[in-house]
Amino acid sequence: MNDWPDGWTGDRDNRGDRYGRGSAGAQPEGARVMPHVQPRGVPQQSQGYDRGYEPGYDSGYNTGQVYGSPPGGGGRNGGPPPPPSGPPAPGYAPDWRRRIKIGALTLVVVVLGVSIGTYFWADSKLQREVDLSKVIERPEAGDGTNYLIVGSDSREGMSAEEKKKLHTGSADGKRTDSMMILHDGSNGPTLISLPRDSNVTIPSFRGSESGKMFPNTGRQTKLNAAYAEDGPELLVRTVEFNTGLHIDHYVEIGFAGFANIVDAIGGVEIDIPKAFKDEKSGADFQAGKQTLNGEQSLAFVRTRYAFANSDLDRTKNQQKFLAALASQTATPGTILNPFKLYPTMGAGLDTLIVDKDMSLWSLGQMFFAMKGVTGGDGKSMNMPISGSTGGNLVWDKAKVKELVNQLNNDEKVTVSGN
């Protein structure tokens, strides 16, 4: 009698057929037909019946789940999954568009912050000491903007050694060393020098400090005497009375500030057509193109005794130099270089005196208008002179009137000066 179940035999030689069709064996047919696929990295699982182990033996490997993160996406022990390591997976590309946007926004914020900070820093340095509201009987304002630019011989803050080096002398107080009207309008800038020896009438005025009224007595004197008598307010009043031109802003700089600006930008290049020497100003120049430092620049713009036309020739040199200074300062090499920009602004603003209504924006417009004088867009000239009396230069009244009309109407200037 056969003790094997139906379809089985005890013959070892026929054992290969025991898993045949319709087999009633313990292992399903699929286990023989399909080989077991083991997950990568997982040790080969042993079958108990192949190794002679007792049925039901647990080898410690779970054949019922895929090895990796447990359900829920957590890491080991249910924690968060570990961060990826190594190079990005194939097909991964950084979001460069987003990175560029963030970088550009950061750059804009930084530039904007620096610009605003610089503006308020520079604005706080302006010495707004001149009150044009004290000027009485003013002419009506015309088109464009008129600046009265004054170079004073102020020695404030200079040591004895600096005064000697710059040949400024040691006189008390301060006087006007140069005076110019800069008109900035739609037809380009016009720079007009007012010789310090110009013969003018001192009009009625209100004292800038006392508030006392002084009547017009018809007194004739040199233009620079008005500044010496009652400061910037009387100078503006005298210029307006004798020209009929409304002055919108007042700007003044002393000896030290002028020299410091030149040194801060590394000197100013200028072409001197003819050699000249003057012991009083310290000038000693050869002909030709050369770069002047602060000391040399101050001597250049102050020299008058070395010239046949004295003050008239000096004003031409002053115009030439100031236009060159503005042109060489307003360059990307200075504006975009903080190591040049801040020393230059600091050197100029520390000694700059302006009217109470002057903004940093207006000052910048004046500076670029000055640059345009020699850029082909503007004109420079002296106030028209008709002659002299007692050493004072007399203005040509007819030409002055025509000039002022053209400026007030913001027309192209056709009047010529000396």
Side-chain angles (χ1 to χ4, degrees):
M1 180 178 179
N2 190 351
D3 294 332
W4 295 98
D6 294 340
W8 288 70
T9 66
D11 188 357
R12 182 178 297 270
D13 295 335
N14 296 327
R15 187 174 298 177
D17 295 330
R18 60 186 175 182
Y19 296 129
R21 295 180 180 274
S23 172
Q27 181 160 333
E29 182 178 12
R32 179 175 61 85
V33 177
M34 297 294 293
H36 179 65
V37 178
Q38 192 74 8
R40 181 178 296 177
V42 179
Q44 183 69 32
Q45 181 172 335
S46 301
Q47 299 293 336
Y49 54 80
D50 286 342
R51 298 294 181 92
Y53 298 129
E54 295 293 331
Y57 171 77
D58 185 1
S59 63
Y61 293 97
N62 186 349
T63 60
Q65 81 177 44
V66 178
Y67 285 85
S69 300
R76 182 177 296 178
N77 300 326
S85 60
Y92 170 80
D95 190 351
W96 289 110
R97 181 177 299 179
R98 180 172 179 270
R99 293 184 180 185
I100 291 173
K101 286 182 178 180
I102 294 176
L105 181 60
T106 302
L107 179 62
V108 169
V109 171
V110 171
V111 171
L112 187 61
V114 171
S115 299
I116 293 175
T118 299
Y119 181 91
F120 284 104
W121 167 78
D123 188 72
S124 67
K125 282 184 166 291
L126 285 179
Q127 301 181 59
R128 297 181 173 91
E129 299 178 0
V130 180
D131 189 357
L132 296 183
S133 67
K134 296 179 180 179
V135 181
I136 63 173
E137 301 175 14
R138 308 192 67 187
E140 291 186 6
D143 296 330
T145 305
N146 299 314
Y147 301 86
L148 181 59
I149 303 173
V150 175
S152 75
D153 62 359
S154 172
R155 299 155 178 83
E156 184 177 354
M158 296 175 64
S159 64
E161 182 179 352
E162 289 174 325
K163 292 176 183 178
K164 182 178 180 180
K165 177 182 177 182
L166 299 177
H167 299 268
T168 64
S170 301
D172 294 331
K174 59 181 180 179
R175 286 160 295 277
T176 52
D177 206 60
S178 61
M179 290 162 283
M180 302 178 186
I181 294 175
L182 174 65
H183 174 82
D184 185 21
S186 58
N187 276 293
T190 302
L191 184 62
I192 308 161
S193 287
L194 309 176
R196 57 182 287 178
D197 294 337
S198 297
N199 190 77
V200 295
T201 299
I202 300 295
S204 59
F205 68 96
R206 179 186 293 116
S208 59
E209 298 295 335
S210 65
K212 180 181 176 181
M213 286 296 300
F214 295 88
N216 181 358
T217 61
R219 178 164 52 103
Q220 305 284 305
T221 186
K222 293 182 179 180
L223 180 59
N224 66 339
Y227 182 96
E229 186 172 334
D230 199 54
E233 288 84 2
L234 180 55
L235 178 60
V236 171
R237 167 69 174 139
T238 303
V239 170
E240 289 187 341
F241 179 83
N242 286 269
T243 63
L245 187 68
H246 180 89
I247 299 299
D248 297 290
H249 292 294
Y250 177 91
V251 181
E252 177 187 327
I253 189 168
F255 283 162
F258 181 83
N260 289 340
I261 291 175
V262 175
D263 286 335
I265 66 170
V268 173
E269 184 179 74
I270 195 165
D271 189 7
I272 301 176
K274 185 178 180 180
F276 64 89
K277 185 176 183 179
D278 181 17
E279 293 183 359
K280 291 190 176 182
S281 67
D284 187 3
F285 299 106
Q286 299 299 316
K289 186 176 293 185
Q290 51 203 286
T291 299
L292 309 185
N293 60 24
E295 178 184 349
Q296 294 169 324
S297 300
L298 191 57
F300 180 80
V301 299
R302 294 184 63 221
T303 297
R304 62 173 176 162
Y305 295 107
F307 307 127
N309 291 322
S310 187
D311 208 32
L312 290 177
D313 285 340
R314 179 174 73 159
T315 55
K316 293 178 182 178
N317 279 345
Q318 291 172 346
Q319 291 175 349
K320 180 178 181 179
F321 184 86
L322 290 178
L325 173 63
S327 179
Q328 294 174 40
T329 302
T331 62
T334 298
I335 296 176
L336 301 180
N337 184 352
F339 298 102
K340 268 195 172 183
L341 176 63
Y342 288 102
T344 302
M345 293 179 67
L349 297 174
D350 279 341
T351 58
L352 207 62
I353 298 174
V354 299
D355 63 272
K356 292 183 179 297
D357 295 326
M358 173 71 84
S359 67
L360 196 62
W361 176 260
S362 296
L363 188 64
Q365 288 181 310
M366 183 203 79
F367 187 77
F368 280 95
M370 183 78 75
K371 178 182 178 182
V373 170
T374 55
D377 299 327
K379 178 177 182 178
S380 61
M381 58 182 289
N382 277 326
M383 187 64 81
I385 303 296
S386 62
S388 63
T389 174
N392 295 354
L393 298 174
V394 179
W395 294 352
D396 187 321
K397 292 183 179 180
K399 285 188 175 182
V400 169
K401 184 177 180 180
E402 184 181 359
L403 172 63
V404 171
N405 285 336
Q406 291 177 347
L407 295 177
N408 279 332
N409 295 323
D410 207 11
E411 300 172 353
K412 185 176 181 180
V413 173
T414 60
V415 178
S416 60
N418 297 75

